[in-house]
Amino acid sequence: MGDTSESSDAQSPEAKEGPKALSSRLENILASIGEGFFSLDNDLVITYFNKAAENLLGRKVKDVVGRHLTNEAFPEIKGSLFEQKFLDALRTGRRMHFETYFGMAPYQNWYDMRVSPNDEGISVLFQVTTERHLAIDALKAGQARFRELFDNMGSGVAIYEASTDGQSFFFRDINRAGETILGKTKDDIIGQNVEDVFPSVEQMGVLGLLRRVWRTGRAESLPVAIYQDDQTPNLWLENYIFKIGSGEVIAIFKDFTAEKRAMEEICSLARFPAENPNPVMRVTNDGVLTYANEGAGVLLDCWGKAVGESVPEHLWQQWRPVIESGQAAEVEVSCGKRAFSLNVAPIAEAGYANIYGRDITDLLRAAKEHERVQEQLRQSQKMESIGRLAGGIAHDLNNLLTPIMGYSQLALVSLPKEHPLYADMDQIHQAGQRAQSLTQQLLAFGRKQLLEVSVLNLSDEVRQFEPMLRRVTREDIEIELHLAEPLGSVRADPGQVHQVLMNLAMNAQDAMPGGGLLTIETADVAFDESHARTHPDIPPGPYVMLAVSDTGVGMDDRTQEKIFEPFYTTKPSGKGTGLGLATVYGIVLQHKGGIWVYSEPGRGATFKVYLPRVEASADARPALQAGPVEHKGETILVVEDEGIVRDLTCEVLQRHGYEVLEAGTSEQAVEITDKFDGEIHLLVTDVVMPKLNGRELYDRLHKDRPGLAVLYVSGYTDNVIAHHGILDDETDFIEKPFSIRGLTDKVRSVLDAATDV
C-alpha cells in the first residue's frame, strides 16, 4: 500500500476540555480500544503502550515502556520501514499513514500504521490487517493467476517500497526466480533495506538507478554488470527497472552468470590460437576469411586482406582442392622475402577449414644456401672438368699446329712472292698463328701453361701496364687508378697478371659502348672461416685484391653463372670468342687465387681477383690472426636486403657484444627506428637497395637522430660508388666480401670516430 500523509489545522472539540479531564478520558479510551497504540518521545523511547498493543505485539507494558524502540524494546525492526517512517515523521512533523508487511518472527503480519507527531514525540495507532489482506487476496481470485505467473517467471522480479525521500528502498516482494538468483529467501529480505541485504548494490549501479527511476518515473535498464560482496558470490545481472502507480519500484533482473562463465571459458579457449605466435586462420568453404590471429597479421598485410574478405584468388586456387577433398594437406606460400608452410585442415561438417602456419623462411634460406654452396661446388667441378678438357685439346692442337706452322713457314721462305701458291701458304700461316693464340687461351683456362713466377707488387704491375692499357682503350673510356700503398706481395707470373688486366679491361670497355669509367684498384684483404662458408672456392687467409670495375650495362644472375665458361659470350656473332674471361678464370686459379664478380643490370660490374699474399722472402702464407675488438655496448642497425649477408653481419656483431637491430628493407629500417626508444649509435647499410638507397636512408634517419653514424657496405668498390654519386670520399665504406676482423675493426673505427667528434 502506498505512503500517504495527513494534516489538519482544525481544532477538535476535545481540545477545548481541561487538560486533566482530557488526559483521563484519553487514557480510558486508549485502554479500551481494539487498536494498538503507543507513543514515543523525540529520542524514540516508548512513553506509553496500551493493552491492545500488548496483545498484537506480544510484549508487556513493563517490558517496553521507558525503553528505546529499536535498541531495546524491538531490535527486530531496526533499519526497517517502521523505523524509517517514524524518523521521517519526527523530522518533517507530518502525519504518516502506511501499510506494510513485516516478515521477521514473531511479527509476520501486515500492519496498518498511523503516525501523528506532537511536541513530545509521536503517537502511533496501528492494527494488524493480515486477515483483511487474506480476505482481499481470496476475493481477488484473478491475482492468483498473476501470482503464479509472477512466481514462475524465468527472470527475477523484486518489488521495492521507497522511503519518503526516495533514497532508501525496502523489499516488498520477490518471486521464486529472484530468490534463486540472489540466494535469499523471501522471509530473509521482505521489509529489509536493500542496502542492508546487498551492501554493494550502490557500487553495482542498481541503487542509483532505483533512485532515478523513482524520481523521474521513467523506466531504465542497466546492462549486464557484476555484483560481489563478502557474502555473495560473483553475480552477473541485467536489470530493467520501472515505477508503478502505487509508487512502488519494480526490478526485473536476469542472471547472466552462467553465460559469463561460459564466455570466459570460451574466451580462454579462443585465446589459445590468439596467443599462438604462429599464423592461425579460418576460411569458409567459399573462400572467405573469418578469423586470423595476430601471428597471421604478416600474411594478411602481405595479401592486402582483412577478416571478412575473400582470400586472394591465387591462394584460393591452391587451397580449394584441399578443402574440397576433406583431407588436410601442407601448402607453401611466399610473403615478400618470407615463406610459410600452411596446414589446411578442412572441417567438412562445419563448412570451414582451419589453417595452421609456421614461418619456414630460415629453413628455406638454409636449404637455399646449402644448394647455393653445392651449386658453387658443382660449378667449380664443372669448370675443372672443362679446364682439363680444354687443356688437353690445346695440347693436342699444339702438336698438330707445330708441323702446320713449320711447313707453311718453310714454304713461304722457299717460294717467291709471285708464285701462285705463295698467297695460299701465307693464309695458312696466318690461320695457324690465330689458332696458336687460341690454344694459348685454352691452356690458360685449363691451367696448363708454364708460369714464370716471381714476387710481385700488384700496384707496381698496374702502373707499368697503364700506358699500354691507355693505348688500347677507346678515347671515351676514362681510366682511374686507386692503388694501395703499402701493399702486400704476391707470387705470380707478371705476363699472366698483365693478361688478366688486359682481358678484364677489354671486357669492361665492351660493357660501356657509350663510354664510361674504368677503375682499377688494389688492396690488402683477409678472409676468415665465416667468409669461406659463402665462398668455398677461396680458402681463409691473407690476400691481395685486384679489382676492375666499370660503369656499363651490368649483368643479371643468369649471365654471372656462365660468365667464366669458355666460348660463352653475350656479344653478337663474330664479335668475340668467349675465351677472355675464361682465360682470366684459369690464370687466377692456376695462381691458387679466386675471382668474384658483383653486378646488377644497369649498374655496371666489378671483378675482384684475390691472389694469396706472401712475405717477400718466403713462399709460405701466414695464418690469419684475429684479435679481440673492444666493444662498448653500442646499438647497431643493420640494413641488408640479402638475407645470408644480413644474418652473417648480425651474428658477427652480436658475438662481439653489440646490440643489433636488423631490417631487410629501408622501409623496415625506418619503422624500427621510429619505434625504438633507445639510442642507435651506428647504421650499417647496403648501398644499393630498392626505393631508398643507403645514403637516402641515412639522410632520412639522421634528421631525427643527429648522433647516428653510418658505415656503408657494397659489392662495388668505394671509388666506383663515389663516381655514381651515391657516396663521397669522406664516407666510411667496407667492401663485400669482408672478413670478421675487417668488419669489426671498421665498425669500431667508425664508432670511435663518432665519439671523438
Side-chain angles (χ1 to χ4, degrees):
M1 180 178 291
D3 186 9
T4 61
S5 299
E6 296 180 350
S7 62
S8 176
D9 295 329
Q11 192 175 29
S12 63
E14 290 81 357
K16 298 179 181 179
E17 298 184 32
K20 185 175 181 180
L22 178 60
S23 176
S24 176
R25 183 180 178 187
L26 285 175
E27 186 173 347
N28 290 333
I29 292 172
L30 292 174
S32 60
I33 63 176
E35 296 177 317
F37 178 85
F38 60 89
S39 60
L40 306 171
D41 65 14
N42 290 321
D43 296 324
L44 293 187
V45 174
I46 300 175
T47 58
Y48 181 80
F49 202 78
N50 75 348
K51 186 68 174 178
E54 285 186 326
N55 296 332
L56 293 174
L57 299 179
R59 297 290 178 90
K60 297 296 184 181
V61 171
K62 64 182 180 64
D63 296 328
V64 297
V65 172
R67 297 179 182 273
H68 191 277
L69 176 68
T70 58
N71 291 342
E72 298 174 304
F74 296 95
E76 300 89 348
I77 68 170
K78 187 174 184 63
S80 68
L81 183 64
F82 296 106
E83 182 183 37
Q84 184 67 44
K85 294 290 188 181
F86 296 160
L87 292 173
D88 287 347
L90 286 171
R91 185 180 71 256
T92 64
R94 296 173 58 209
R95 294 181 181 182
M96 302 284 179
H97 180 200
F98 64 94
E99 185 176 14
T100 189
Y101 178 83
F102 191 73
M104 295 185 65
Y107 309 112
Q108 294 101 326
N109 280 304
W110 282 93
Y111 295 91
D112 182 280
M113 313 292 290
R114 297 177 183 271
V115 184
S116 301
N118 54 60
D119 293 339
E120 297 178 355
I122 57 173
S123 298
V124 180
L125 183 67
F126 70 95
Q127 58 181 327
V128 174
T129 58
T130 302
E131 291 183 359
R132 178 167 61 84
H133 273 275
L134 293 175
I136 291 173
D137 291 341
L139 291 174
K140 297 180 179 179
Q143 290 187 359
R145 183 180 301 171
F146 168 78
R147 189 71 203 187
E148 184 177 359
L149 174 65
F150 179 73
D151 277 336
N152 286 282
M153 288 179 66
S155 298
V157 182
I159 302 175
Y160 300 98
E161 183 175 353
S163 62
T164 54
D165 60 1
Q167 294 300 301
S168 300
F169 292 84
F170 302 86
F171 281 100
R172 287 291 305 275
D173 203 352
I174 189 169
N175 69 348
R176 284 196 292 266
E179 291 179 302
T180 301
I181 292 170
L182 300 180
K184 306 285 185 181
T185 66
K186 185 181 299 186
D187 291 341
D188 293 334
I189 61 177
I190 295 299
Q192 297 297 307
N193 190 324
V194 67
E195 292 181 87
D196 293 337
V197 180
F198 299 104
S200 298
V201 70
E202 185 168 9
Q203 292 90 319
M204 183 186 182
V206 170
L207 183 59
L209 193 60
L210 286 169
R211 290 168 177 170
R212 190 162 60 249
V213 170
W214 182 86
R215 184 176 69 253
T216 65
R218 291 192 299 268
E220 292 192 41
S221 297
L222 181 67
V224 178
I226 189 170
Y227 177 86
Q228 53 187 350
D229 60 34
D230 294 339
Q231 303 298 322
T232 305
N234 295 350
L235 288 174
W236 290 90
L237 303 175
E238 178 185 65
N239 279 269
Y240 176 74
I241 300 176
F242 59 94
K243 185 178 181 181
I244 60 177
S246 65
E248 295 166 317
V249 178
I250 297 177
I252 300 176
F253 50 95
K254 186 175 181 180
D255 185 7
F256 281 88
T257 305
E259 288 88 340
K260 277 290 184 179
R261 289 174 180 167
M263 184 59 66
E264 288 175 357
E265 183 66 23
I266 292 171
C267 290
S268 176
L269 294 174
R271 285 196 299 272
F272 175 73
E275 293 169 352
N276 191 334
N278 293 317
V280 178
M281 296 173 286
R282 177 172 289 172
V283 62
T284 64
N285 287 350
D286 55 358
V288 176
L289 190 67
T290 59
Y291 173 81
N293 70 346
E294 185 176 348
V298 62
L299 292 173
L300 268 61
D301 291 344
C302 179
W303 301 335
K305 296 293 183 179
V307 172
E309 298 179 353
S310 297
V311 299
E313 182 62 25
H314 71 282
L315 292 175
W316 183 237
Q317 294 302 321
Q318 185 184 33
W319 298 357
R320 183 176 180 178
V322 177
I323 294 175
E324 290 178 348
S325 73
Q327 301 296 319
E330 293 278 341
V331 297
E332 289 187 9
V333 298
S334 297
C335 186
K337 292 189 175 182
R338 300 176 68 178
F340 293 83
S341 175
L342 302 179
N343 180 279
V344 182
I347 311 297
E349 64 274 14
Y352 58 74
N354 292 327
I355 301 173
Y356 309 96
R358 59 191 179 98
D359 191 331
I360 58 172
T361 306
D362 292 339
L363 291 175
L364 293 183
R365 183 180 296 151
K368 183 178 180 181
E369 176 58 20
H370 177 74
E371 178 60 27
R372 191 185 69 82
V373 172
Q374 291 299 311
E375 179 58 31
Q376 284 186 339
L377 180 59
R378 287 192 294 270
Q379 181 72 6
S380 177
Q381 291 170 342
K382 181 178 74 172
M383 297 295 284
E384 180 72 24
S385 298
I386 294 174
R388 286 196 298 269
L389 176 62
I393 292 173
H395 181 269
D396 291 341
L397 281 174
N398 276 336
N399 290 336
L400 295 173
L401 284 172
T402 300
I404 293 173
M405 292 291 291
Y407 283 114
S408 64
Q409 191 171 14
L410 286 175
L412 288 173
V413 172
S414 303
L415 293 174
K417 290 186 179 181
E418 62 273 11
H419 193 283
L421 295 178
Y422 186 90
D424 294 337
M425 284 297 172
D426 186 48
Q427 288 296 321
I428 293 172
H429 184 70
Q430 291 183 39
Q433 287 179 322
R434 290 193 295 271
Q436 185 181 35
S437 176
L438 181 62
T439 58
Q440 290 301 313
Q441 294 182 74
L442 287 173
L443 285 171
F445 174 75
R447 288 168 279 164
K448 300 297 184 181
Q449 297 187 101
L450 295 176
L451 301 179
E452 298 181 8
V453 298
S454 58
V455 176
L456 304 178
N457 182 297
L458 291 184
S459 292
D460 293 340
E461 296 302 316
V462 173
R463 289 192 193 95
Q464 294 173 14
F465 193 68
E466 181 187 3
M468 171 68 75
L469 195 59
R470 292 188 183 277
R471 286 196 297 270
V472 298
T473 54
R474 301 192 311 266
E475 292 183 355
D476 60 356
I477 302 298
E478 180 184 355
I479 299 176
E480 285 188 4
L481 305 181
H482 299 279
L483 308 177
E485 292 293 349
L487 184 69
S489 300
V490 298
R491 191 179 301 277
D493 184 325
Q496 297 302 309
V497 171
H498 294 170
Q499 184 69 55
V500 168
L501 278 169
M502 178 63 75
N503 288 12
L504 291 178
M506 292 301 98
N507 183 76
Q509 177 178 252
D510 292 340
M512 299 184 287
L517 176 64
L518 171 63
T519 305
I520 302 176
E521 302 177 70
T522 58
D524 285 331
V525 296
F527 296 137
D528 53 22
E529 294 293 340
S530 63
H531 178 270
R533 292 203 298 268
T534 56
H535 295 80
D537 53 330
I538 305 179
Y543 290 82
V544 177
M545 180 198 73
L546 171 66
V548 178
S549 304
D550 65 69
T551 57
V553 295
M555 295 174 283
D556 57 21
D557 292 341
R558 184 175 180 82
T559 301
Q560 293 178 55
E561 290 175 0
K562 297 179 175 291
I563 198 67
F564 296 117
E565 293 183 7
F567 306 112
Y568 176 81
T569 180
T570 59
K571 300 172 185 176
S573 178
K575 295 295 183 180
T577 63
L579 285 172
L581 293 178
T583 300
V584 171
Y585 180 85
I587 292 172
V588 171
L589 265 63
Q590 193 169 6
H591 283 79
K592 301 188 183 302
I595 185 168
W596 179 74
V597 59
Y598 182 88
S599 181
E600 293 181 17
R603 292 184 176 272
T606 296
F607 287 85
K608 293 183 177 181
V609 173
Y610 300 99
L611 298 181
R613 192 184 338 149
V614 298
E615 295 295 336
S617 58
D619 292 337
R621 296 199 300 267
L624 179 65
Q625 299 295 325
V629 178
E630 180 184 359
H631 66 85
K632 301 175 183 177
E634 293 94 342
T635 298
I636 299 175
L637 172 60
V638 175
V639 186
E640 167 62 59
D641 59 358
E642 187 62 38
I644 186 66
V645 178
R646 183 175 68 250
D647 292 344
L648 175 64
T649 305
C650 292
E651 180 179 349
V652 168
L653 294 176
Q654 286 171 340
R655 288 192 178 188
H656 281 76
Y658 296 102
E659 180 180 351
V660 178
L661 308 174
E662 62 174 298
T665 64
S666 53
E667 294 94 331
Q668 290 179 3
V670 172
E671 181 180 356
I672 289 171
T673 305
D674 289 343
K675 293 181 178 179
F676 188 74
D677 294 331
E679 182 179 2
I680 300 177
H681 300 84
L682 177 64
L683 169 67
V684 177
T685 178
D686 193 7
V687 175
V688 181
M689 294 186 296
K691 296 187 178 179
L692 296 179
N693 62 35
R695 170 169 286 265
E696 291 167 340
L697 174 61
Y698 174 69
D699 291 341
R700 164 69 175 80
L701 301 181
H702 191 256
K703 290 179 181 178
D704 298 325
R705 295 176 179 266
L708 179 67
V710 61
L711 173 61
Y712 294 101
V713 184
S714 180
Y716 292 100
T717 59
D718 49 351
N719 296 291
V720 172
I721 295 299
H723 183 75
H724 287 172
I726 300 177
L727 300 177
D728 54 40
D729 293 336
E730 290 74 32
T731 301
D732 290 298
F733 173 79
I734 186 171
E735 292 182 77
K736 301 175 187 175
F738 46 73
S739 65
I740 289 178
R741 184 61 182 270
L743 174 64
T744 54
D745 283 350
K746 192 67 176 178
V747 166
R748 186 69 264 156
S749 173
V750 175
L751 287 170
D752 290 343
T755 304
D756 294 337
V757 174

